[in-house]
Amino acid sequence: MKKKRLILVVSAVFICGLLGYFYKVFAVERPTVAVVLKESKSEYWSIMASGFEKGFKNFGVKGTIFTPDQNHEDQLSLLKKVLKEKPDALIFSPEDPPASIPILKEFKKEHIPVLIVDTEVNWSGQTSFIGTDNLSLGEKAGEVLSSMLQPGDKVALIGWISNDSVSDERIQGAKQAIDTVGMDTITEKIHYYDEDAKVIPLTAKLIKIHPDIKGFFASNDTMALEVLKYLNKKGLKMPVIGADGIIDMLKYVENGTLKGSIAQNPYDIGYISVENALKTIKGQEVEKKINSDVDIITSDNAKSKIEFIEGLKN
């Protein structure tokens, strides 16, 4: 009896040790992916972060998300710190694309693949870009806006001034689509960091100078919501098209205040980025440019989109 008990104890110890060994091997072999984003507080980036987290879980990746607002340092300093940790892959969304290139080249020297998301960088060394085709987004926004108006109508295009080309491309695309149907456009830009304070005064100025404006396109939802706030206060009803698909904008479509809008897919950007980071770590080829596409939001799909985003918070 004692001999059997001893055999059981020894077997149990052996099995536990074996399991511990395999756990350590598995833990060591899990690929590491560092994600460096612009920020984490806005809904858009929060949705994207959910996509990353889901990708980490589904693809067995040890991933960490870094943002300047969480780490209390500028993005380039944060990038240098991540480089020292030598992850197996980097996923990066630049605040200042040109300024980030020298550091990204250091990742390349260390044979760390770099996948760019959301905002493009004019650098041939990147493994892939995953994000929205902003020119196409603008074109679709212009088409949606013009479908609600008449040829000859005047619309305002509002963008932001920054170091990247995102807003410029969206405005360009919208203008092309609107010009095609014979409508007039007015373009105004404000500094990105001033948008919360400057959009309402800008909207008031545009309405005063051009009282015949019939609609607005804003190159992100934050600005579009500020335009709507002013128009609602003044009792003015006209279409306003945004770009990001955040909940507050979607609700305007759901309740009928707006007939439609455009929504990016930040969740898909995050998830697809992790999937492709793992592919390149394994030595597999990935596409140089992956378009995450946009959705045209109407009363038919606004509710389901809202439910999906709200479900990410649970």
Side-chain angles (χ1 to χ4, degrees):
M1 189 71 178
K2 288 182 179 180
K3 188 175 181 181
K4 287 183 179 179
R5 190 178 299 162
L6 180 62
I7 291 172
L8 288 172
V9 170
V10 172
S11 298
V13 171
F14 175 75
I15 291 170
C16 288
L18 195 62
L19 289 173
Y21 169 78
F22 282 120
Y23 174 79
K24 288 180 180 179
V25 169
F26 176 76
V28 169
E29 290 183 349
R30 284 178 68 197
T32 58
V33 175
V35 179
V36 180
L37 301 179
K38 296 178 183 180
E39 51 115 333
S40 64
K41 293 179 180 177
S42 69
E43 187 178 306
Y44 174 83
W45 293 104
S46 175
I47 294 170
M48 191 184 295
S50 296
F52 287 125
E53 296 290 352
K54 186 67 173 178
F56 296 156
K57 181 179 179 181
N58 284 8
F59 298 113
V61 168
K62 184 179 180 182
T64 309
I65 300 173
F66 302 91
T67 61
D69 56 352
Q70 288 181 327
N71 294 74
H72 307 294
E73 55 190 314
D74 69 86
Q75 194 185 46
L76 297 182
S77 297
L78 189 56
L79 203 58
K80 291 175 183 176
K81 186 178 293 185
V82 170
L83 176 61
K84 291 179 181 178
E85 296 179 4
K86 291 185 170 51
D88 293 316
L90 170 71
I91 298 173
F92 178 56
S93 180
E95 289 181 335
D96 187 340
S100 67
I101 292 174
I103 305 173
L104 296 180
K105 286 180 177 178
E106 294 302 313
F107 279 86
K108 183 82 171 178
K109 286 180 184 177
E110 295 291 338
H111 306 289
I112 300 170
V114 176
L115 294 88
I116 305 296
V117 297
D118 181 75
T119 304
E120 295 191 63
V121 178
N122 186 21
W123 176 53
S124 61
Q126 64 192 29
T127 300
S128 181
F129 169 76
I130 301 101
T132 303
D133 182 329
N134 288 297
L135 189 64
S136 176
L137 180 152
E139 289 174 352
K140 290 182 180 180
E143 289 166 2
V144 171
L145 183 58
S146 60
S147 71
M148 302 174 186
L149 300 170
Q150 301 295 322
D153 283 346
K154 184 180 290 184
V155 299
L157 311 176
I158 301 177
W160 70 82
I161 301 167
S162 66
N163 293 315
D164 60 57
S165 61
V166 172
S167 181
D168 287 344
E169 289 175 358
R170 293 177 183 178
I171 293 293
Q172 181 185 346
K175 181 172 173 53
Q176 287 175 357
I178 291 168
D179 286 347
T180 299
V181 296
M183 296 169 64
D184 295 329
T185 59
I186 304 157
T187 301
E188 289 284 348
K189 297 178 184 179
I190 54 178
H191 285 283
Y192 187 71
Y193 54 82
D194 274 346
E195 66 179 31
D196 290 346
K198 295 291 181 67
V199 175
I200 286 181
L202 175 61
T203 306
K205 184 186 81 171
L206 289 172
I207 293 290
K208 182 177 181 180
I209 297 172
H210 305 279
D212 54 342
I213 286 177
K214 301 296 183 183
F216 283 82
F217 167 66
S219 52
N220 69 26
D221 277 355
T222 303
M223 290 191 287
L225 288 167
E226 291 294 295
V227 173
L228 277 165
K229 189 186 296 183
Y230 176 81
L231 296 178
N232 290 339
K233 182 180 178 181
K234 295 297 181 180
L236 300 172
K237 295 187 179 296
M238 63 182 72
V240 178
I241 304 296
D244 300 320
I246 64 176
I247 288 179
D248 285 346
M249 199 69 184
L250 297 174
K251 285 181 176 178
Y252 276 111
V253 180
E254 184 188 26
N255 65 27
T257 301
L258 296 176
K259 291 182 181 179
S261 191
I262 299 294
Q264 295 186 86
N265 293 300
Y267 180 88
D268 292 349
I269 293 174
Y271 190 86
I272 293 169
S273 299
V274 177
E275 180 182 17
N276 282 277
L278 183 58
K279 282 183 180 179
T280 194
I281 290 169
K282 291 181 176 179
Q284 300 172 8
E285 286 193 19
V286 300
E287 295 179 44
K288 288 294 287 184
K289 196 166 187 176
I290 300 171
N291 183 9
S292 57
D293 214 348
V294 297
D295 296 326
I296 296 175
I297 304 299
T298 65
S299 57
D300 293 330
N301 61 358
K303 183 178 180 181
S304 61
K305 192 82 170 178
I306 291 170
E307 289 174 347
F308 173 75
I309 295 171
E310 290 180 336
L312 299 175
K313 301 175 182 178
N314 299 329

